[in-house]
Amino acid sequence: MTTGSDTQSSVVLLGTKGGPGIQPGSPMPTSTLVQMGGRTLLVDAGLGATRAICDAGLPLTAIDAVLITHMHSDHVMELGPLLHTAWTTGLRQQLPIFGPPGLEDYWEGFLNAMNYDIALREVDEGRPDFHSLFTIGHITDERPIDLDGVLVTALRNIHPPVADSFALKFQHGADTLVLSGDTEPMPEMIPFARGADLLVHEAMLPEGIQAIVDRMGYDDATRLIDHILRSHSPAAEVGRIAAAAGVGALALNHFVPGHEPGITEADWRAAVTPHYDGPLHVGHDGMVIAFGEDA
Ligand SMILES: [Zn+2]
Ligand SMILES: [Zn+2]
């Protein structure tokens, strides 16, 4: 893989765009690879995740588990196609999928949609039983998930009107990573991320929101603007949270707007750095960030 030894903890930002729409030249919706303790975990499976994993130099069959932070399409749309492609690429081992309630409905719908092809390939090509390769479990903030030594703790974040949406903390040995998921700025993120080696936090530039709706030509623009502003985190607030949590490094992700002519990396930095003076990664699709003891 691109990041060196088995013990090196790293994340690959596979898709960094917030929201489901894409355009020529834009980044892709959200998915993130986490590598810790020799395990490869996929967090979210937005459109483009399958291609991005291959572009990161990793076989699809290397994924040990998938976690879905919430059921917005920009985080879950490609889950079925990705796992089906892993299966036709040679996946043999059981692969657990964790997410909020509602994930079962998505999965059942995908199985129904692809029933003809799956049944055909099992018989005609002798592929392993698709259904039994995957298990669905729930993410809850009541108990952590132990993925073969990588401990995953969830914090219910604030992403109205989605009730079941989670930030995730990954711990292995001395290394700690926190992913904010989609959320408005929340004070609870500060103790949750305290002392983490790396915080990957969603980020919004409120001054860029009007441009998004202008381009879409919405009739009821106020409703979309309202949704965006009350369910995401202004970059300045993200800087304040990172500073208060004393994280080792901050990476911005899930950009809203994700692709707006005139908004550059310098604008994101300018919003964050008055409030946070530590290492700052302004994410882009394919960015690899090593963190922890061996970084
Ligand atoms: Zn999102
Ligand atoms: Zn969302």
Side-chain angles (χ1 to χ4, degrees):
M1 171 55 194
T2 43
T3 52
S5 79
D6 261 8
T7 56
Q8 174 65 68
S9 296
S10 68
V11 295
V12 187
L13 305 179
L14 298 170
T16 57
K17 183 183 175 296
I22 61 169
Q23 351 155 23
S26 79
M28 293 300 281
T30 306
S31 45
T32 304
L33 265 188
V34 176
Q35 298 197 291
M36 294 180 86
R39 313 291 290 167
T40 298
L41 313 172
L42 175 67
V43 181
D44 290 332
L47 196 68
T50 315
R51 177 75 253 167
I53 292 167
C54 293
D55 287 347
L58 198 82
L60 298 172
T61 50
I63 298 168
D64 294 302
V66 179
L67 299 114
I68 302 294
T69 60
H70 65 300
M71 291 304 292
H72 264 149
S73 58
D74 52 323
H75 298 254
V76 72
M77 180 94 103
E78 201 167 288
L79 177 65
L82 189 158
L83 294 178
H84 184 288
T85 308
W87 175 63
T88 52
T89 306
L91 184 74
R92 289 284 179 278
Q93 77 277 16
Q94 277 240 328
L95 202 158
I97 312 163
F98 298 91
L103 183 59
E104 306 87 335
D105 295 340
Y106 169 95
W107 190 244
E108 202 184 313
F110 177 76
L111 292 176
N112 286 335
M114 295 307 294
N115 181 45
Y116 171 78
D117 175 86
I118 290 169
L120 193 73
R121 290 186 194 280
E122 283 171 355
V123 174
D124 190 38
E125 301 173 12
R127 295 190 183 275
D129 179 58
F130 186 84
H131 292 62
S132 61
L133 272 182
F134 305 101
T135 57
I136 305 263
H138 282 164
I139 293 176
T140 140
D141 50 4
E142 283 161 20
R143 62 184 175 281
I145 302 167
D146 187 341
L147 294 172
D148 285 323
V150 179
L151 199 66
V152 185
T153 310
L155 170 70
R156 193 175 292 274
N157 57 22
I158 306 174
H159 190 44
V162 180
D164 297 305
S165 178
F166 296 97
L168 298 174
K169 174 158 58 183
F170 299 82
Q171 292 168 288
H172 180 267
D175 297 354
T176 302
L177 164 73
V178 171
L179 308 181
S180 72
D182 283 15
T183 185
E184 65 175 49
M186 53 188 293
E188 296 83 354
M189 192 68 72
I190 296 167
F192 188 67
R194 176 135 9 248
D197 298 293
L198 176 64
L199 169 63
V200 179
H201 204 295
E202 72 130 272
M204 160 176 74
L205 278 182
E207 59 269 34
I209 305 306
Q210 186 64 46
I212 299 177
V213 293
D214 286 352
R215 193 181 48 244
M216 286 181 176
Y218 259 65
D219 289 337
D220 186 4
T222 48
R223 212 191 310 178
L224 180 61
I225 292 173
D226 227 47
H227 160 78
I228 293 172
L229 289 178
R230 73 195 158 94
S231 54
H232 294 290
S233 297
E237 294 301 321
V238 174
R240 288 194 183 95
I241 288 167
V247 298
L250 169 66
L252 303 184
N253 187 35
H254 195 278
F255 295 96
V256 177
H259 180 65
E260 206 50 60
I263 292 183
T264 66
E265 177 173 338
D267 295 306
W268 295 99
R269 287 191 178 276
V272 171
T273 48
H275 312 287
Y276 166 81
D277 61 3
L280 173 63
H281 307 274
V282 177
H284 59 75
D285 290 10
M287 178 183 268
V288 181
I289 308 167
F291 64 92
E293 260 190 337
D294 297 328

